[in-house]
Amino acid sequence: MAAAGDDAVIGSTPLPLAFARHLARDRRRSAHTVRAYGATAERLTAFLARHWGGAVDARALAAITTADVRAYLAARRGEGLANASTARELSAVRAFLAFAGVEAPRLKGPRVGKGVPRPIAPDEAVALAEEVDEDAAEPWIGLRDFAVLLLLYGAGLRIGEALALTGASLPLGETLAVTGKRGKTRIVPLLPQVRVAIEHYVAECPWPMARDLPLFRGAKGGALSPGVVRVSVRKARARLGLGERTTPHALRHSFATHLLGRGADLRSLQELLGHASLGSTQIYTAVDAAHLLDVYRNAHPRA
């Protein structure tokens, strides 16, 4: 996009703001993608201004090197960024540099080593949802997939339960009625962030939201297939360096493990997950213990 990299075309508009406007107007990306990528552009230019000791415009960006990008990512990692979020940050950096007409330095994103499967961290769950959104063919499809994945992680739904929701769930409130296995209905809390994500999708969806029609629609208006979501997640996790066990269902496991780690009792967790027996819920005690053991081994000086 050479024209975007021309200072005369950018004019007096700061480059990160011009980039954000380009994403919103020309690429028609979702609001949260515009916000996240725009914030990365602002952080990068501010870092380079300090790093280089001078103003950063499109012409200055042409001199960026792999070492500069590595230094920026190292600074972000020092702020506590996890692997998936770092990979997401690198993706945003590449998009920003391409907008500025600069060839991004060749740099591989961080990889997650193989080993015992673990629940993904909260920021990794969000990064996964954002990456799926960014790669969508249409903005409304990105909003749909983002909402579905946040629903799996934020409310602990099975993918089949999420895709079985209909327009009867609208308008959304603080809780959501979910029909699980054997037709059993349960009530789950709906986090504000999840509710907003679903509402954004509904506002942009080109298909009608009748009470008896699916809430989450496929590209041609029918019910969204679980396979479509799984394929999108598989592509996104590869780009973010997440392990192959990072599936839509893993978001439900992460929901359960994180709640247990924050003090939720097994009976409450059983109700939230819709398990018929407490034994099904007790597997999360072992998962949480394994996670705590990892923390202990990494943090204790004598471990």
Side-chain angles (χ1 to χ4, degrees):
M1 190 171 298
D6 189 335
D7 289 336
V9 174
I10 299 299
S12 60
T13 304
L15 204 54
L17 179 57
F19 175 54
R21 289 176 177 174
H22 160 71
L23 291 175
R25 182 187 62 240
D26 304 325
R27 295 287 307 280
R28 297 174 61 210
R29 306 319 306 176
S30 66
H32 59 263
T33 295
V34 172
R35 185 168 54 250
Y37 273 43
T40 294
E42 290 179 358
R43 284 191 295 265
L44 177 64
T45 52
F47 172 83
L48 292 175
R50 297 190 302 269
H51 194 56
W52 291 341
V56 176
D57 57 16
R59 192 169 288 107
L61 278 177
I64 195 169
T65 66
T66 300
D68 293 325
V69 177
R70 285 188 186 278
Y72 170 71
L73 294 177
R76 293 290 288 139
R77 290 298 293 265
E79 295 170 1
L81 221 59
N83 277 3
S85 296
T86 302
R88 177 82 175 153
E89 191 89 348
L90 178 57
S91 177
V93 166
R94 286 174 175 145
F96 175 54
L97 293 178
F99 167 76
V102 177
E103 184 177 353
R106 295 183 180 276
L107 186 65
K108 290 185 178 181
R111 306 298 297 179
V112 176
K114 295 182 179 180
V116 180
R118 292 289 184 267
I120 65 175
D123 66 332
E124 292 176 337
V126 174
L128 182 70
E130 290 177 341
E131 187 69 19
V132 168
D133 172 15
E134 172 64 19
D135 196 49
E138 295 286 341
W140 77 268
I141 291 177
L143 292 173
R144 177 201 69 192
D145 294 348
F146 183 79
V148 169
L149 296 181
L150 280 199
L151 186 59
L152 301 186
Y153 175 67
L157 271 60
R158 302 175 178 93
I159 188 170
E161 293 171 343
L163 301 190
L165 294 172
T166 68
S169 299
L170 303 174
L172 299 171
E174 294 184 351
T175 59
L176 185 67
V178 178
T179 301
K181 292 183 176 181
R182 292 172 292 279
K184 182 180 179 182
T185 300
R186 68 184 187 278
I187 303 298
V188 298
L190 203 57
L191 295 172
Q193 302 95 312
V194 179
R195 185 166 63 247
V196 167
I198 297 174
E199 288 171 347
H200 282 172
Y201 151 69
V202 169
E204 296 298 325
C205 181
W207 306 105
M209 288 291 163
R211 290 182 60 84
D212 58 343
L213 292 176
L215 175 61
F216 295 110
R217 314 295 283 277
K220 296 183 179 180
L224 176 60
S225 165
V228 171
V229 181
R230 292 189 181 104
V231 168
S232 296
V233 167
R234 186 161 63 244
K235 292 178 179 178
R237 77 187 181 208
R239 292 190 297 271
L240 294 177
L242 295 172
E244 62 182 22
R245 292 300 183 101
T246 302
T247 63
H249 198 66
L251 295 174
R252 171 174 157 92
H253 286 307
S254 299
F255 162 85
T257 304
H258 296 159
L259 281 187
L260 189 63
R262 288 181 172 269
D265 63 272
L266 283 176
R267 286 291 181 188
S268 298
L269 192 56
Q270 178 187 0
E271 290 297 322
L272 288 172
L273 293 172
H275 283 160
S277 68
L278 190 60
S280 298
T281 312
Q282 285 176 329
I283 64 169
Y284 294 105
T285 60
V287 173
D288 192 57
H291 172 69
L292 289 175
L293 185 57
D294 274 353
V295 172
Y296 170 80
R297 286 171 173 164
N298 290 331
H300 197 284
R302 301 300 294 273

